[in-house]
Amino acid sequence: MSSAIDHAPLTHLNALESEAIHIMREVAAELERPVLLFSGGKDSIVLLRLAEKAFRPARFPFPLMHVDTGDNFCEVIAFRDRRVAELGERLIVASVQESIDRGRVVEDRGPRASRNRLQITTLLDAIADHRFDAAFGGARRDEERARAKERVFSFRDDFGQWDPKSQRPELWNLYNGRVRPGEHVRVFPLSNWTELDVWEYIAQEQLEVPSIYFAHERPVFARDGMLYAWREGTELLDGERVETATVRYRTVGDMRCTGGVRSLATTLDEVVTEIAATRVTERGETRADDRVSEAAMEDRKKAGYF
């Protein structure tokens, strides 16, 4: 006897989506002042979609926040502002430049300088100023080996620091969200997603992403095996030259440490096909700050990085 209700089969993406929505609702129920970190990148775009499915038609029970280095791609910032306006949600911009101006951090100089690590202090100051006790992030375990050590609920101490040896067990999708005064928790609903899952979900949901995720012509220069975007004022090393290349970006962040990849993928389907064939992680291929040492990411995370 057939059921009167036809149930759609539970696909891999549907299972990941359900788990992530459950995590978001758990945080909203257990924590008092959460925030969702939104950079305008692909992972945070997926988080926004999941938040819509978890809480709409009501407003999100948390604001959005972006830690802005001041060296972000202009296409991404424009997308960020437009998307937030469309959703009608509140966006907090925590500025690295303001941290520099206040003397909270000191900016590096020279052609290899980047503001990426300066985000740590800016983020921790913003969490303290707004008294956030939880922060949703888009980190995935396939990005980098240090992130594979993360729990879904990743606890940070009174100084915002992460100790991978002192995290709570997570059994049967049960999460302990209790935090002591001064502590906070980073929450990663996409922990069990891969880069390919993210792109397949974006394609399935037909989500808009910044144009730099697709192949386009851009002035770039080669350094240490990576292609960096060139802009007026960029300091080149001896022997480096600017060329026009067709590239796209697998991750978006500080322009001074984020490299593009040569690509002809101009549609979501072509990006999915390209990612399915790659054998190099996005951060391993496109983020210079992760090449400093084997433990570069873990060292930054212990200090308070995303």
Side-chain angles (χ1 to χ4, degrees):
M1 181 176 176
S2 62
S3 171
I5 300 175
D6 291 327
H7 294 283
L10 181 63
T11 67
H12 173 62
L13 289 181
N14 289 343
L16 290 174
E17 178 189 75
S18 295
E19 178 188 50
I21 289 173
H22 166 70
I23 292 166
M24 285 189 156
R25 289 174 174 166
E26 280 291 300
V27 170
E30 290 191 49
L31 282 300
E32 293 184 3
R33 298 178 65 87
V35 65
L36 189 151
L37 301 177
F38 179 62
S39 65
K42 64 183 185 305
D43 300 311
S44 56
I45 290 170
V46 169
L47 286 181
L48 277 193
R49 180 58 171 162
L50 294 168
E52 287 185 273
K53 292 194 174 188
F55 304 109
R56 289 300 198 212
R59 294 282 299 275
F60 296 167
F62 40 73
L64 312 178
M65 183 166 73
H66 180 210
V67 180
D68 186 353
T69 68
D71 285 322
N72 298 94
F73 292 90
C74 60
E75 299 97 326
V76 178
I77 296 300
F79 173 86
R80 178 202 71 184
D81 293 342
R82 179 168 55 78
R83 189 72 188 99
V84 171
E86 291 170 351
L87 288 169
E89 296 292 343
R90 175 189 174 203
L91 174 68
I92 299 167
V93 177
S95 168
V96 170
Q97 183 60 57
E98 289 183 9
S99 297
I100 295 170
D101 295 342
R102 290 165 47 209
R104 293 287 294 145
V105 294
V106 177
E107 185 171 17
D108 294 333
R109 299 295 180 182
R112 296 185 182 276
S114 156
R115 290 182 171 185
N116 202 46
R117 67 176 182 82
L118 304 185
Q119 294 179 91
I120 297 172
T121 298
T122 304
L123 173 64
L124 294 179
D125 284 352
I127 288 174
D129 290 345
H130 294 277
R131 295 185 293 114
F132 293 130
D133 54 8
F136 291 107
R140 307 182 321 272
R141 289 174 179 163
D142 72 321
E143 286 182 84
E144 204 276 342
R145 66 188 67 182
R147 284 187 165 162
K149 297 181 180 181
E150 291 276 19
R151 302 283 206 266
V152 175
F153 277 40
S154 178
F155 287 84
R156 308 301 170 109
D157 65 18
D158 303 40
F159 300 99
Q161 297 179 331
W162 172 67
D163 181 357
K165 297 179 181 178
S166 300
Q167 298 299 309
R168 301 173 187 178
E170 294 176 344
L171 305 174
W172 306 294
N173 286 345
L174 297 176
Y175 306 105
N176 182 351
R178 185 176 301 172
V179 294
R180 295 189 295 268
E183 290 182 335
H184 71 276
V185 58
R186 308 285 173 84
V187 183
F188 303 112
L190 306 184
S191 285
N192 291 323
W193 298 51
T194 66
E195 184 184 9
L196 181 58
D197 291 330
V198 166
W199 279 111
E200 288 182 334
Y201 188 77
I202 289 171
Q204 173 182 286
E205 298 292 309
Q206 288 297 291
L207 302 179
E208 183 185 358
V209 297
S211 59
I212 66 171
Y213 278 119
F214 301 108
H216 60 286
E217 286 193 348
R218 179 183 290 268
V220 299
F221 62 95
R223 176 180 295 171
D224 302 329
M226 298 172 63
L227 292 175
Y228 293 98
W230 181 88
R231 58 180 174 173
E232 195 68 38
T234 299
E235 188 176 350
L236 300 178
L237 299 174
D238 289 344
E240 294 178 344
R241 62 182 182 84
V242 177
E243 62 172 306
T244 298
T246 301
V247 299
R248 73 173 196 87
Y249 289 83
R250 292 177 64 184
T251 184
V252 296
D254 189 306
M255 291 180 65
R256 290 192 279 182
C257 65
T258 304
V261 294
R262 296 186 187 273
S263 172
L264 298 177
T266 59
T267 67
L268 286 175
D269 288 343
E270 289 172 348
V271 170
V272 168
T273 299
E274 186 174 277
I275 294 301
T278 189
R279 292 295 178 266
V280 181
T281 65
E282 61 186 278
R283 296 192 69 92
E285 184 174 24
T286 65
R287 293 301 290 268
D289 48 338
D290 289 335
R291 297 183 173 192
V292 175
S293 73
E294 287 291 321
M297 170 63 85
E298 183 162 340
D299 291 342
R300 290 200 308 278
K301 287 183 70 62
K302 287 180 178 178
Y305 192 71
F306 309 132

